[in-house]
Amino acid sequence: MTTDHGLRFCANLGRLFGEVPFEERFDAAAEAGFSAVEYASPYGRSPVELRRRLKDAGLRQVLINSPVGAPGTPTAAGTACLPDRVGEFRDGITRALDYAVELECPLVHLRAGVRPVGVPRDTAFSRYVANVAWAGQLAAGAGVRLVIEAVNARDIPGYFLQTQEQAAGVVAAVGGDQVGLLFDIYHCQMSQGGVSTRLEEFLPSIAHIQVADVPGRAEPGSGEIAWDFVFDRLRALGYPGWIGCEYRPANATADGLGWLTRYAPEWNG
């Protein structure tokens, strides 16, 4: 959904509309007024099926994640910083880009992973930057841009990128044409605060934004973040990208969408 001031909101189908099976969430998102969606993992379904569901619902695919390992495994948060997983990382990126091309999805979120015990940070950082640079070149050839995200230490202890400054530094080192910043407002507030200041500072690098409130990660307006100020600031800054609704609805998804009317009065979903 697009506002008159350029703000565009997409539904995260991994979080929203959990009241129905995944296959039915495309239609549910469209019926709620969304014109685009994101979700972490398309890999359990064929791209042909997913493309059909997008087309039937009149939706665009905005973002997918790179593949990760099963929950509880060393690669559950990604492989990009793991020195002994280069082959697995490259296979995963190739697979992600195949899906992105088939779904006409412009962004792939490259998951950094958790630095293994005993691996020096400098070693992990060198491998991470090399992997991101390699993946960025491959993505550019496919017409896809990678995004990387800082994650707070409470949700994923030891995640390799924990601050916006760290992530933005990697973007600068690799090259902003190939890699952008996924600025998750929930993670920023949990880790650092100063959301609006950091949004303004890193806006040139930001390719995607995700929203959820703090501390419960539910819909905007359920916690402590001043969303009216944040969204007004994004309008004033002229942010052109999508804003992913990656929150856990406190109740039924449709019942909680009133925050869009409250904070984005142009919303007509």
Side-chain angles (χ1 to χ4, degrees):
M1 177 58 63
T2 305
T3 70
D4 291 341
H5 293 281
L7 296 186
R8 301 184 295 172
F9 297 90
C10 63
N12 186 296
L13 299 188
R15 301 282 188 179
L16 273 57
F17 306 106
E19 303 86 2
V20 298
F22 181 80
E23 291 78 7
E24 298 177 22
R25 296 177 195 176
F26 296 84
D27 287 340
E31 290 170 6
F34 290 98
S35 60
V37 296
E38 63 177 31
Y39 46 84
S41 178
Y43 306 109
R45 297 169 176 84
S46 76
V48 173
E49 173 197 349
L50 294 171
R51 189 171 62 245
R52 177 179 59 80
R53 295 191 182 279
L54 289 165
K55 181 179 179 180
D56 289 350
L59 296 169
R60 293 178 57 187
Q61 183 80 41
V62 171
L63 174 79
I64 59 174
N65 285 6
S66 59
V68 298
T73 67
T75 61
T79 57
C81 78
L82 308 183
D84 62 344
R85 301 277 186 164
V86 176
E88 184 177 345
F89 168 81
R90 292 190 172 191
D91 288 345
I93 292 300
T94 300
R95 190 180 186 200
L97 293 176
D98 286 344
Y99 268 81
V101 169
E102 287 290 333
L103 300 177
E104 298 182 352
C105 176
L107 300 175
V108 170
H109 173 203
L110 192 160
R111 297 296 304 274
V114 173
R115 176 164 59 95
V117 175
V119 174
R121 180 167 181 84
D122 287 349
T123 300
F125 183 79
S126 295
R127 172 42 51 197
Y128 179 66
V129 171
N131 278 341
V132 173
W134 178 87
Q137 291 182 349
L138 197 67
V144 176
R145 192 179 186 192
L146 301 179
V147 290
I148 59 175
E149 174 189 35
V151 174
N152 79 83
R154 191 184 78 172
D155 282 26
I156 305 182
Y159 194 77
F160 190 68
L161 296 177
Q162 296 186 358
T163 70
Q164 303 303 320
E165 288 77 7
Q166 289 173 346
V170 174
V171 170
V174 173
D177 291 339
Q178 298 176 4
V179 182
L181 183 62
L182 193 171
F183 192 109
D184 189 300
I185 290 176
Y186 164 79
H187 287 305
C188 182
Q189 180 70 3
M190 289 288 290
S191 295
Q192 299 177 275
V195 168
S196 59
T197 300
R198 288 186 166 85
L199 281 171
E200 182 170 2
E201 179 180 358
F202 298 118
L203 185 70
S205 298
I206 295 174
H208 192 69
I209 290 173
Q210 290 177 330
V211 297
D213 218 327
V214 171
R217 204 168 186 175
E219 49 265 270
S222 62
E224 66 186 36
I225 297 176
W227 290 101
D228 50 354
F229 184 86
V230 170
F231 289 135
D232 283 347
R233 192 74 193 116
L234 285 173
R235 291 186 187 94
L237 292 169
Y239 170 67
W242 289 92
I243 299 173
C245 302
E246 196 207 22
Y247 59 83
R248 293 189 288 257
N251 297 293
T253 301
D255 294 343
L257 290 176
W259 68 270
L260 280 160
T261 302
R262 178 180 177 186
Y263 299 117
E266 308 86 354
W267 168 268
N268 58 6

